[in-house]
Amino acid sequence: MIEIDGLSKNFGAERAVADVSLRLETGTITAVVGTSGSGKSTLMRMINRLIEPDAGTVRIDGVDTREIPLTELRRSIGYVIQDHGLFPHWSVARNIGAVPALLGWPREEIAARVEELMRLLRLDPERLGPRYPHELSGGQAQRVGVARALAARPRMMLMDEPFGALDPVIRQEARAELVAIQRALGATILIVTHDMAEAMALGDQIAVMDGGRLAQAGTPAEIVLRPATPLVRALIGESERGFRHLALLPVAAALTPGAAEGEALPAGATLADALSRMIWTGARRLPVAAADGHGAGVVALEDILAAGRGAP
Amino acid sequence: MKGTLALALLVAAFLAFPEAFVPVLRPFAPEGGPVIYDRASLAGLTAAHVGLVALALLPSALIALGLAIWVTRPGRAHLLPLARAVVNFGQTLPPVAVLALCVPVFGFGAVPTLVALFLYGLLPIFESSLAGLSGVPAPTLTAATAMGLTPARRLLQVELPLAAPLILEGTRLSAVIALSTATIGSTVAARTLGEVIIAGLNVMNLAFVLQGGLLTAALALLIHAGFGALAEAARPPGARSSR
Amino acid sequence: MIGSLAASRPDGARLALGLGCLGALALPFVSVRASRIGAPEPRTLVEILPPGRLLAVLALSAAVLLALVLLRAPWARVLLSLLALAGVLAGIGLAAGPLAAEAGPYARVAPGAGAWTLLALLALFFTEAASRLALGPAARLGLGLVILAGLAALLASDLLAPLSIMVEYRNRAASFRSEAAQHLLLAGGSFAAAMVVGVPLGLLAARRARLAPPLLGALTAIQTVPSMAMFGLMILPLGWLAAHAPPAAALGIRGIGAAPALLALFLYALLPIVGHTREGLRGVPGAILESADAMGLDARQRLWRVEIPLALPVLLTGARIVLVQNIGLATVGALIGAGGFGVFVFQGLGQTAADLVLLGALPPVALAMLAALLMDALIACVPGPAR
């Protein structure tokens, strides 16, 4: 668990981060959202002390980060940034193995770990390992950046706009991949983004920063249903709010017993998927399949709309 | 800016009243020897020195810029590697060697110095003009053509103004190098401030070496500052430095 | 065969070079002097060669020039232009022998304006063709060494022996070797010292933003002091040191000689090294530095494993400038008794012996070009993205 407590930072007269407190539960993804200049990157950089806070503390599993030697702290936290920051004069394999090498792992162990990570991130170790970063595509370079951050089995990962340089299709894939890896490894991740949709898609918890202050922190549903400030409301997008919420809810949330005509929705679908299907087919009731393939029940338009409003 | 003005005033004062500086230079002159160079007027030598450099650099700049414009016209891209190779080769030639190599061809006096300065001046100006002209962003050129500018207007109204700071930078470098190299011309009897330095080295009168050397350095600094101000003025408003 | 190699339409630049070469054939090919400082009497090919041979030479020249203009394959033009250069050099030697013999024991023969022009234009032919090949630095170095070897073989043969510059060389073979060694010592020693001092200074200038402007300003001001004066002024501190510090004098430090020349060259060398080191370090992208910090590299590891390797190409570019510059400037050291090739240049100027000037001026040019080729190859060896 990471506890951020009363963290503040000024650059000269400019207030970058003011008295922010936040808890990151172990094994969850927290997405910090805000406009540029909101202090979200500064907040993140204070966790691995790339920036020293003026006031406040950060505790990792109860230990104040100021009590951990700086290099040790940083080597235990994975770090991914938008421009991936790969060392251009090192091969891909050497980039990925950099932190284990700093930690003095044996050579064979580093090689094995690099290969394991490259396979995990769908990078061909034989072909891409000896290449240099400038020979990679944007998506490959980004995955190498993630692999490098994961190399020494860090307790947590900090990611600053990690998908910012990718095109929309690859970005979708990269997000899904990140969630899969996070679930598999049980890592604690803090991700900084300006894109609320990305935060909604990734975050177990969303923290909205505004002018250096924490405007609101909560689950995606809480943020959508009860935006605390006009800025949070604006970031969600007034016209998309309903859909945003429905996209967070599984069909199970509005399931009633019964049967209906037409192709069944899969059990993993969201209410947004159901509504979209209704718009195109004109149906007001859709059958839902259970995980075993049998009919689980139906969703009705009025129930979807009620669930979208957050009504019980 | 203030420093440049002070330096200019100091140079002017020294050239007008060299005798006033005798106390400063006395410790560097041999016992009882002359302190201020007396075989020619320092002001006259300075004028000759600057005149020689200007006379060499003016054609240098015109020809180098003309060549750079010529090779950067559309359809001559195949000439660029040759141009770059010649520039690269030229920059490995030591100025002293260029001057020395001109002597067998042009004899003694001002002519070999003039030719050497002219030749050596071509390179920095050509190189930086080339960089400036080929550095104009392609979208800007496309936009200019799309707006219907003729090639000549495009050159005069778009390319040259955008390349001007770099062209001036190259000319400044050439001028500073030429000013310094011109002193060596005095070893082949050109009339420059080098005469003062050589006289000082011959009789071990460091006061001469100092006044010849520092005068040349001061002139170089003044020219450096002057071109700097010109380049700043020529910079497109969007790219002007904040100071 | 020829048809496929030749271009359908001659290239304008090469056509101009070819016409220039034809014109140069009409200029005086060599010049004869009654003594080493006598007035040159120009001789054209027409005056030197009997009609039969003249026709053969002109026909051969025309054929070679036509091929240089029309051949399409750059490698063929590279080869042919090198052969032509060697041919002109050999021709100068062949022409010089009989002319020197007939003009008397003190007579000197040197290349004339025509020969120089031919050499220069053929060198341009070569450069144009070589630049088309777009050779990598290693290949360029290889080609350079091959040319150097060819030149050395030509010099070692007796072909060029009758030329005045070779006579000057034979009269001073021993001192030529020692001055060459001295020249290398001056240029190399000051280069090494400037690297040792300049790189840390550049590092400091990159780290402390406030230190950079005054430091670079001072180093720029040093560059504006003309070399002759700089060499002269160095006499002052070192003369004082020699007079007041006996250990310094015992080490051979004197006001005149190699020590002030080394010091002057060292001072000139600082600006490019400090400036390029600083530029190279400042050019390392912020994202990479941030990554290095975030990965837990300490300051020393970051410097040696990330910053210096990434700054190396720019730093080496500065080193290349200094090496080339110092090889040239070391020539001036002769004015204060530091030795080096400048000895022959200034002796030659003093005696109005043009060929002695050449003997002193040509080797630094060749050395500087070799140094540039070597440094380019070295810079290309640095790993990382293609630059």
Side-chain angles (χ1 to χ4, degrees):
Chain A
M1 186 173 60
I2 288 104
E3 296 158 280
I4 297 170
D5 192 7
L7 219 49
S8 297
K9 180 72 189 178
N10 296 325
F11 294 117
E14 192 188 340
R15 191 180 62 185
V17 171
D19 193 24
V20 170
S21 299
L22 192 64
R23 268 163 78 108
L24 284 64
E25 298 296 337
T26 302
T28 64
I29 300 182
T30 298
V32 180
V33 195
T35 52
S36 56
S38 62
K40 56 188 192 300
S41 293
T42 305
L43 177 69
M44 189 193 78
R45 284 171 168 77
M46 285 194 282
I47 293 173
N48 63 352
R49 288 172 60 201
L50 282 175
I51 295 174
E52 291 289 349
D54 291 339
T57 56
V58 177
R59 284 189 300 279
I60 299 181
D61 296 333
V63 181
D64 190 332
T65 52
R66 280 171 302 188
E67 284 158 21
I68 310 170
L70 195 58
T71 53
E72 193 182 304
L73 171 76
R74 290 176 179 168
R75 287 170 195 178
S76 71
I77 298 176
Y79 190 74
V80 182
I81 53 179
Q82 175 174 348
D83 299 321
H84 58 70
L86 297 177
F87 297 148
H89 57 309
W90 287 2
S91 68
V92 165
R94 195 173 169 199
N95 262 292
I96 296 175
V99 178
L102 285 170
L103 292 168
W105 289 18
R107 192 182 298 259
E108 315 79 61
E109 209 175 309
I110 296 175
R113 178 68 176 157
V114 168
E115 192 175 331
E116 178 191 347
L117 281 168
M118 288 188 77
R119 293 206 189 284
L120 179 69
L121 285 149
R122 296 185 294 111
L123 297 159
D124 182 359
E126 247 79 283
R127 203 170 59 85
L128 294 176
R131 298 271 181 94
Y132 284 89
H134 70 277
E135 298 170 291
L136 303 177
S137 71
Q140 286 171 335
Q142 192 273 336
R143 293 209 291 277
V144 172
V146 173
R148 181 171 73 170
L150 289 169
R153 303 192 178 89
R155 282 182 289 183
M156 78 171 301
M157 290 239 283
L158 302 177
M159 311 180 90
D160 192 352
E161 302 275 5
F163 311 124
L166 303 182
D167 68 55
V169 176
I170 297 179
R171 190 185 300 203
Q172 287 288 354
E173 279 176 30
R175 278 182 203 158
E177 204 170 69
L178 179 69
V179 172
I181 290 171
Q182 190 266 341
R183 298 296 181 235
L185 303 178
T188 309
I189 296 181
L190 183 113
I191 183 167
V192 162
T193 175
H194 63 268
D195 179 357
M196 185 55 98
E198 183 162 280
M200 292 276 175
L202 290 172
D204 299 305
Q205 175 182 225
I206 292 179
V208 183
M209 294 282 293
D210 181 13
R213 295 192 173 276
L214 186 62
Q216 188 176 7
T219 63
E222 284 167 4
I223 300 277
V224 176
L225 289 177
R226 289 179 289 279
T229 70
L231 177 96
V232 179
R233 196 179 284 268
L235 280 174
I236 296 165
E238 195 58 42
S239 63
E240 287 165 60
R241 222 176 116 202
F243 252 103
R244 284 259 159 89
H245 187 214
L246 289 179
L248 295 168
L249 299 173
V251 278
L255 201 63
T256 51
E261 290 293 299
E263 194 190 333
L265 284 164
T270 66
L271 289 180
D273 298 329
L275 182 60
S276 179
R277 176 86 63 87
M278 288 174 181
I279 292 171
W280 295 121
T281 61
R284 295 181 149 264
R285 289 159 64 81
L286 289 173
V288 177
D292 59 6
H294 288 87
V298 293
V299 282
L301 178 60
E302 50 274 27
D303 294 334
I304 293 177
L305 298 182
R309 286 194 301 274
Chain B
M1 196 63 229
K2 254 184 209 163
T4 308
L5 201 64
L7 187 64
L9 285 175
L10 190 69
V11 169
F14 182 66
L15 291 179
F17 312 103
E19 298 305 326
F21 291 80
V22 166
V24 187
L25 291 169
R26 168 81 66 203
F28 302 101
E31 215 53 45
V35 178
I36 300 294
Y37 187 65
D38 47 5
R39 268 169 272 174
S41 102
L42 284 171
L45 281 177
T46 304
H49 191 122
V50 174
L52 191 71
V53 168
L55 203 63
L57 277 196
L58 203 66
S60 223
L62 289 177
I63 290 173
L65 180 61
L67 275 176
I69 291 174
W70 189 72
V71 283
T72 48
R73 289 316 87 195
R76 299 217 182 86
H78 64 285
L79 287 176
L80 275 176
L82 173 64
R84 297 227 164 86
V86 170
V87 166
N88 245 333
F89 163 75
Q91 274 170 346
T92 59
L93 290 176
V96 192
V98 175
L99 177 61
L101 292 174
C102 282
V103 171
V105 185
F106 299 102
F108 285 72
V111 180
T113 311
L114 210 57
V115 174
L117 294 184
F118 162 76
L119 287 176
Y120 208 78
L122 287 171
L123 290 163
I125 304 176
F126 178 70
E127 195 196 21
S128 60
S129 304
L130 205 56
L133 287 169
S134 53
V136 176
T140 310
L141 292 182
T142 311
T145 312
M147 283 161 64
L149 264 69
T150 61
R153 275 177 170 270
R154 195 181 81 167
L155 176 67
L156 287 176
Q157 298 186 349
V158 180
E159 294 178 71
L160 283 178
L162 287 175
L166 266 176
I167 296 171
L168 283 170
E169 180 61 38
T171 315
R172 156 158 108 172
L173 186 61
S174 279
V176 170
I177 293 175
L179 214 61
S180 168
T181 308
T183 55
I184 302 175
S186 285
T187 58
V188 291
R191 207 164 161 259
T192 76
L193 287 169
E195 197 179 306
V196 185
I197 301 170
I198 291 172
L201 288 176
N202 280 341
V203 297
M204 280 317 290
N205 184 339
L206 286 181
F208 284 7
V209 177
L210 262 178
Q211 56 199 264
L214 292 185
L215 255 179
T216 315
L219 291 175
L221 285 173
L222 288 177
I223 285 180
H224 187 87
F227 270 102
L230 263 182
E232 190 60 31
R235 208 174 286 275
R240 212 161 281 170
S241 79
S242 49
R243 264 169 300 168
Chain C
M1 172 69 188
I2 294 295
S4 70
L5 280 172
S8 51
R9 207 162 54 86
D11 174 284
R14 295 213 303 274
L15 191 62
L17 285 179
L19 290 174
C21 285
L22 274 184
L25 285 171
L27 292 175
F29 190 65
V30 289
S31 68
V32 183
R33 267 173 271 181
S35 71
R36 72 189 278 257
I37 55 171
E41 300 161 32
R43 300 282 167 85
T44 60
L45 284 174
V46 182
E47 292 167 288
I48 305 168
L49 295 170
R53 240 193 255 166
L54 176 68
L55 225 59
V57 166
L58 287 181
L60 181 65
S61 307
V64 168
L65 288 174
L66 201 64
L68 279 174
V69 173
L70 292 181
L71 274 178
R72 198 185 286 171
W75 58 266
R77 299 204 306 270
V78 165
L79 220 63
L80 193 60
S81 57
L82 285 178
L83 285 175
L85 278 167
V88 172
L89 283 175
I92 296 168
L94 289 173
L99 282 174
E102 102 197 15
Y106 303 109
R108 293 297 181 92
V109 184
W116 286 121
T117 313
L118 265 180
L119 289 173
L121 294 178
L122 286 172
L124 275 175
F125 262 123
F126 166 77
T127 313
E128 190 270 341
S131 71
R132 272 315 150 78
L133 282 180
L135 296 172
R140 280 215 303 276
L141 180 63
L143 188 60
L145 290 178
V146 168
I147 294 173
L148 216 62
L151 203 60
L154 203 62
L155 288 173
S157 76
D158 282 343
L159 212 51
L160 296 180
L163 281 181
S164 181
I165 182 171
M166 296 307 285
V167 179
E168 297 284 359
Y169 167 72
R170 280 196 298 279
N171 290 343
R172 302 176 170 73
S175 74
F176 184 86
R177 274 191 292 275
S178 68
E179 297 303 355
Q182 180 72 3
H183 199 96
L184 289 177
L185 179 80
L186 287 176
S190 58
F191 169 73
M195 286 297 280
V196 169
V197 176
V199 172
L201 268 181
L203 183 66
L204 204 65
R207 291 275 194 266
R208 307 240 184 288
R210 244 187 291 165
L211 191 73
L215 178 65
L216 294 176
L219 294 179
T220 306
I222 286 176
Q223 298 270 318
T224 63
V225 178
S227 50
M228 277 198 317
M230 180 66 97
F231 282 87
L233 292 177
M234 290 308 115
I235 295 173
L236 202 64
L238 289 172
W240 184 88
L241 197 66
H244 293 83
L251 281 172
I253 292 178
R254 271 177 295 278
I256 289 186
L262 278 170
L263 187 59
L265 291 174
F266 164 80
L267 287 176
Y268 277 128
L270 280 178
L271 180 66
I273 293 179
V274 173
H276 278 79
T277 304
R278 173 168 176 264
E279 280 314 306
L281 289 170
R282 277 156 47 103
V284 179
I288 287 171
L289 295 180
E290 188 180 322
S291 278
D293 286 338
M295 287 163 65
L297 274 77
D298 60 35
R300 180 183 296 253
Q301 288 166 332
R302 191 178 95 163
L303 178 66
W304 286 103
R305 296 189 194 182
V306 178
E307 291 181 84
I308 289 190
L310 288 178
L312 206 54
V314 182
L315 200 161
L316 287 176
T317 307
R320 177 195 193 271
I321 293 174
V322 164
L323 204 54
V324 169
Q325 173 183 294
N326 275 13
I327 289 172
L329 279 176
T331 316
V332 183
L335 278 179
I336 54 164
F341 288 121
V343 168
F344 305 121
V345 173
F346 292 112
Q347 266 179 20
L349 291 177
Q351 301 167 4
T352 67
D355 298 303
L356 188 53
V357 173
L358 279 182
L359 184 67
L362 288 178
V365 172
L367 269 180
M369 287 169 63
L370 185 63
L373 281 174
L374 278 171
M375 289 302 293
D376 283 343
L378 188 65
I379 290 169
C381 286
V382 177
R387 273 165 284 266

